[in-house]
Amino acid sequence: HWIDPATEAFLEATIEACLDTPTLLLVNFRPEYRPPWAGRPYETAIDLAPLAADAQQQLIADLISSDPSLGDLPARLSDRTRGNPFFLEEVVQSLIERGLLVGRRGAYELVDPRAPITIPATLQAVLSARIDRLGDVDKHVLQSAAVIGKRVRESVLHAVAEVDATAASDALLRLAAAGFLDTEALLPEPEYTFRHPLTRDVAYASQRAERRIGD
């Protein structure tokens, strides 16, 4: 998702160095990316299809439940997310944060089965709405992390965000618990990464939009 020309050249050189050796190198990339080694005799492309219907139902049951009290919600989730597991996980998390689902993983219930539930049409919209619902400090810390890059050291974030060290640390822990970030390392100091590249993109874009409005 974030490959640059230098990394691409390094990866291509690595692939060439593996020739005539008993080495299997796996590289995953988005459909729109055209790697320089595509079509070469040693390359085999495997398209990863969306989750099949039964796999989607299994994931939905694992995330929320398969209880009949959920009504048509599982079917709507499956239809809207089209077999994209990350999209599905983010929608479910959004419903939990909005207070529409209560319980625990695999055993959630609708707070009000009669209440209308809207599901955003795109993954970007889900992420944007989740970021908008964050508290001011958490939102500012997440946006500052998006400016820093893929990996974020706590000390660097503290300096960039200009937030009290304790407040920044607590915000990072909450963002990790909410699934926006992953803890990459604890020593010599805490370091975090974005759980998904798209999360960073949306957080970065939301900051730019807010600055444009403020200007």
Side-chain angles (χ1 to χ4, degrees):
H1 184 86
W2 284 313
I3 197 166
D4 54 72
T7 304
E8 185 179 69
F10 171 79
L11 184 56
E12 184 176 13
T14 301
I15 292 173
E16 293 296 329
C18 290
L19 297 181
D20 300 321
T21 69
T23 303
L24 173 64
L25 183 62
L26 299 177
V27 181
N28 66 307
F29 50 86
R30 293 174 179 267
E32 61 269 20
Y33 175 65
R34 177 70 176 175
W37 58 85
R40 295 179 184 176
Y42 51 76
E43 182 254 4
T44 300
I46 303 174
D47 292 330
L48 298 180
L51 290 178
D54 57 342
Q56 292 181 55
Q57 295 307 315
Q58 290 177 18
L59 179 57
I60 291 171
D62 179 66
L63 290 173
I64 52 175
S65 143
S66 56
D67 192 276
S69 65
L70 293 172
D72 67 346
L73 180 60
R76 292 179 59 201
L77 290 173
S78 178
D79 180 65
R80 178 55 59 88
T81 58
R82 302 181 187 89
N84 183 323
F86 180 57
F87 192 180
L88 177 57
E89 290 172 350
E90 288 296 310
V91 170
V92 170
Q93 187 61 36
S94 176
L95 295 176
I96 295 168
E97 293 171 354
R98 289 159 59 190
L100 299 173
L101 292 173
V102 293
R104 55 181 175 81
R105 185 182 177 109
Y108 280 102
E109 298 179 356
L110 286 171
V111 173
D112 182 0
R114 296 167 298 179
I117 296 179
T118 58
I119 302 175
T122 67
L123 176 53
Q124 289 88 338
V126 175
L127 288 168
S128 181
R130 289 195 63 207
I131 292 171
D132 283 343
R133 284 193 295 271
L134 290 172
D136 290 342
V137 174
D138 291 6
K139 186 176 183 180
H140 177 62
V141 166
L142 184 66
Q143 291 174 332
S144 298
V147 173
I148 294 170
K150 296 177 291 185
R151 301 170 68 93
V152 182
R153 291 183 180 178
E154 189 170 302
S155 60
V156 175
L157 179 64
H158 174 217
V160 172
E162 298 182 341
V163 175
D164 174 77
T166 300
S169 178
D170 291 345
L172 286 168
L173 291 175
R174 289 192 295 268
L175 291 169
F180 291 106
L181 304 174
D182 283 328
T183 305
E184 188 71 13
L186 293 175
L187 297 173
E189 68 171 296
E191 187 172 349
Y192 296 84
T193 59
F194 279 86
R195 180 162 296 181
H196 195 280
L198 190 57
T199 303
R200 182 199 169 201
D201 289 349
V202 174
Y204 184 81
S206 69
Q207 177 177 236
R208 294 182 62 191
E210 288 178 1
R211 286 184 175 179
R212 284 197 298 269
I213 293 173
D215 294 339

